[in-house]
Amino acid sequence: MQGIFITFEGPEGSGKSTQAALLVEYLRGQGYDVVAAHEPGGTRVGDVIREILQYDKTGEQLCPETEMFLFEASRAQLVRCVILPALEAGKIVVCDRFADSTTAYQGYGRGFDIDKIMTINSFSSDELVPDLTILMDIDVELGFKRLAERNEKNGRELDRIERESITFHEKVRAGYLDLAKRWPARFKVVEANRAMDVVGREIRKMALTCLKSHAD
């Protein structure tokens, strides 16, 4: 039996990483065999790329085209080494970001041609499309307020993408919402500004509905 592929997307500070981890924990508690993944990274090759993309590992400014292809390269490795083998084994894969992130950030945010981005996404992901994409939507300014609180608590600084302008991140959010309108059957939009437990319960219902529909 083919597995189920669930992805989490959203602007910065939306809580998607937290909710993805909580969903993995919940599904495992229900007896499901779940693989957790994330982008960029999730493989040894991908983790090296992540250091370049998020933390300026080389100290050299990335041109937008290089940025895009590094995300695609990390995804290609993750799909073939982690995600596809898990799905072929009938497991559930929950991934924190996937191809829609590249469309939103490099397409809508950077201004690259959306159709070209989607073509490259399809190639890098071996034409894999999630069964369910949970879009954690949040006002950009509120998201960055959350980031500031998190960073103060954890002693962290904003990463390279997070340091982009508010205008850039507004374009990203608008891009995500546009994608959700394009594919309403796959995307489920969650208002991420609510309490974490309220959001978590809604996400669990969405995930269980998806699993049930594939079991029928």
Side-chain angles (χ1 to χ4, degrees):
M1 182 184 73
Q2 185 73 8
I4 306 297
F5 187 31
I6 300 173
T7 58
F8 278 77
E9 298 285 356
E12 308 299 329
S14 62
K16 59 173 185 49
S17 298
T18 297
Q19 291 295 342
L22 289 172
L23 181 61
V24 169
E25 181 182 6
Y26 171 76
L27 292 176
R28 285 174 176 166
Q30 298 298 306
Y32 291 101
D33 194 349
V34 186
V35 172
H38 67 269
E39 284 201 4
T43 65
R44 283 181 292 177
V45 169
D47 288 344
V48 172
I49 294 174
R50 183 184 183 91
E51 289 293 315
I52 297 171
L53 284 167
Q54 288 197 291
Y55 304 114
D56 305 295
K57 185 70 172 181
T58 64
E60 179 180 7
Q61 185 173 356
L62 293 179
C63 70
E65 292 82 0
T66 299
E67 176 188 77
M68 180 195 68
F69 281 114
L70 285 173
F71 277 113
E72 300 288 1
S74 176
R75 179 173 308 121
Q77 191 77 358
L78 182 67
V79 166
R80 289 156 182 82
C81 295
V82 177
I83 297 176
L84 284 180
L87 293 176
E88 290 166 359
K91 300 178 182 181
I92 299 170
V93 177
V94 176
C95 194
D96 180 359
R97 295 202 185 281
F98 195 60
D100 295 306
S101 281
T102 303
T103 306
Y105 280 80
Q106 282 67 52
Y108 291 90
R110 299 287 188 215
F112 288 144
D113 183 89
I114 301 299
D115 290 333
K116 288 182 179 178
I117 289 279
M118 290 183 178
T119 297
I120 299 170
N121 284 345
S122 181
F123 176 73
S124 71
S125 63
D126 199 22
E127 301 185 357
L128 179 63
V129 177
D131 298 291
L132 169 64
T133 296
I134 296 169
L135 174 55
M136 304 282 289
D137 182 47
I138 193 169
D139 176 80
V140 170
E141 291 189 2
L142 177 57
F144 272 87
K145 181 180 178 182
R146 285 184 173 185
L147 281 181
E149 293 171 352
R150 179 203 71 186
N151 290 348
E152 183 177 359
K153 179 180 178 181
N154 299 329
R156 293 173 54 181
E157 296 181 356
L158 295 176
D159 67 28
R160 192 180 61 84
I161 297 290
E162 291 166 350
R163 293 196 300 269
E164 290 288 346
S165 69
I166 292 296
T167 300
F168 171 84
H169 289 286
E170 292 283 7
K171 291 178 181 178
V172 170
R173 182 192 179 198
Y176 270 129
L177 293 174
D178 186 54
L179 293 177
K181 290 179 181 177
R182 288 198 193 194
W183 291 286
R186 172 165 70 89
F187 273 87
K188 302 301 178 187
V189 181
V190 175
E191 294 181 13
N193 60 338
R194 297 169 295 165
M196 186 172 67
D197 60 336
V198 173
V199 173
R201 285 196 298 271
E202 184 174 323
I203 289 171
R204 290 195 293 272
K205 290 179 182 178
M206 291 174 175
L208 292 174
T209 298
C210 176
L211 297 179
K212 184 178 184 300
S213 68
H214 283 80
D216 291 341

